[in-house]
Amino acid sequence: MTEYLFPPPAPVAIPIRDSRKRFPVNRIFCVGRNYAAHVREMGFDPDREPPCYFTKSPSAIVVSEGESGAMIPYPPGTSELHHEIELVAAIGRAGSRIAVEDALAHVYGYACGLDMTRRDLQLASREKKGPWDIGKDFDNGAVITPIQPADRIGHPAEGRIWLTVNAEPRQDADLSQLIWPISEIMSHLSRIYHLVPGDLIYTGTPDGVGPVVAGDQISGGIDGVGTVSLTIGPA
Ligand code: MN
């Protein structure tokens, strides 16, 4: 039997709605620039950009469940923490070089996610043509609701995606505006990685991203998928 120097970290797992089982997280892939109006607000041309990806660590996961949702401390190293509401696809079946028409069969279910972003650090990295990791991958930076199985809710292709901060509207769009829909993202990503059960894909955020400060209350939702809420605590 393997002896460890210290206890290995417990698996990161997400509740599945109306189930006693949990969804164990393997990798977290995130798609950048996937709604045209958000691509423009970030200073790019939405027409000819292929999907762009970054990753977050499973340890960044925070589950937002129920009315009160989650509370996270304001993260260190930033003075510009941004919200990004996103549809998250949870992979249930392995695959590589997946055809677009077969892709949705590999999705176990969907959740509502917040790709929290240290925008000042991300933009400074972008400026230096360096990796985005410190802007995107940090403790509590990947908020997610319990997963809704696709055999219960189907595969959402349209529906409102919205976010408010202290009840003020910030983001309001429709899933039908995704430049690369889930099936195309999965097909493209599966040519770069072997996708396996437990992988999550944050599919990108619509326009209206912006800063939050300690004490702010974020609420968001995606029609047919769920609602997420997050309170930002003191640093
Ligand atoms: Mn994002």
Side-chain angles (χ1 to χ4, degrees):
M1 202 177 103
T2 306
E3 283 192 54
Y4 294 103
L5 181 62
F6 52 84
V12 173
I14 300 166
I16 296 168
R17 190 143 298 167
D18 300 324
S19 171
R20 287 172 45 233
K21 291 184 181 165
R22 290 188 158 237
F23 182 93
V25 177
N26 185 48
R27 291 169 295 188
I28 305 172
F29 298 105
C30 304
V31 184
R33 304 173 201 157
N34 205 12
Y35 289 82
H38 173 64
V39 176
R40 283 191 288 268
E41 79 178 349
M42 294 301 290
F44 293 93
D45 174 3
D47 291 340
R48 288 278 170 252
E49 301 269 348
C52 112
Y53 305 105
F54 57 92
T55 59
K56 296 198 182 211
S57 306
S59 59
I61 287 280
V62 176
V63 174
S64 166
E65 207 173 1
E67 287 278 302
S68 51
M71 151 101 77
I72 66 168
Y74 193 92
T78 183
S79 54
E80 200 182 5
L81 178 67
H82 273 205
H83 54 77
E84 295 191 356
I85 178 92
E86 312 202 356
L87 175 67
V88 183
I91 306 305
R93 196 210 291 178
S96 65
R97 294 186 290 275
I98 302 169
V100 172
E101 55 271 26
D102 299 333
L104 295 183
H106 294 259
V107 180
Y108 170 75
Y110 296 91
C112 209
L114 296 172
D115 164 19
M116 299 305 292
T117 301
R118 296 192 286 204
R119 190 74 69 201
D120 45 357
L121 301 188
Q122 182 202 12
L123 294 184
S125 306
R126 199 176 91 179
E127 197 76 18
K128 287 187 286 191
K129 299 200 187 316
W132 290 5
D133 302 44
I134 62 169
K136 286 291 195 178
D137 187 9
F138 55 93
D139 293 345
N140 305 313
V143 182
I144 193 164
T145 60
I147 293 170
Q148 295 266 30
D151 63 13
R152 198 179 303 153
I153 65 161
H155 297 276
E158 55 184 23
R160 187 170 174 235
I161 176 169
W162 58 273
L163 179 142
T164 64
V165 178
N166 306 325
E168 295 278 332
R170 291 277 189 94
Q171 296 186 270
D172 198 346
D174 196 280
L175 293 179
S176 61
Q177 295 167 315
L178 278 166
I179 296 172
W180 300 89
I182 290 156
S183 54
E184 292 192 49
I185 293 166
M186 300 233 343
S187 179
H188 186 266
L189 188 60
S190 73
R191 285 166 167 75
I192 313 170
Y193 293 96
H194 287 83
L195 298 180
V196 297
D199 288 342
L200 296 176
I201 304 175
Y202 280 63
T203 58
T205 198
D207 64 313
V209 302
V212 287
V213 297
D216 280 351
Q217 166 65 46
I218 301 172
S219 297
I222 301 172
D223 280 357
V225 177
T227 57
V228 61
S229 62
L230 178 70
T231 304
I232 309 298

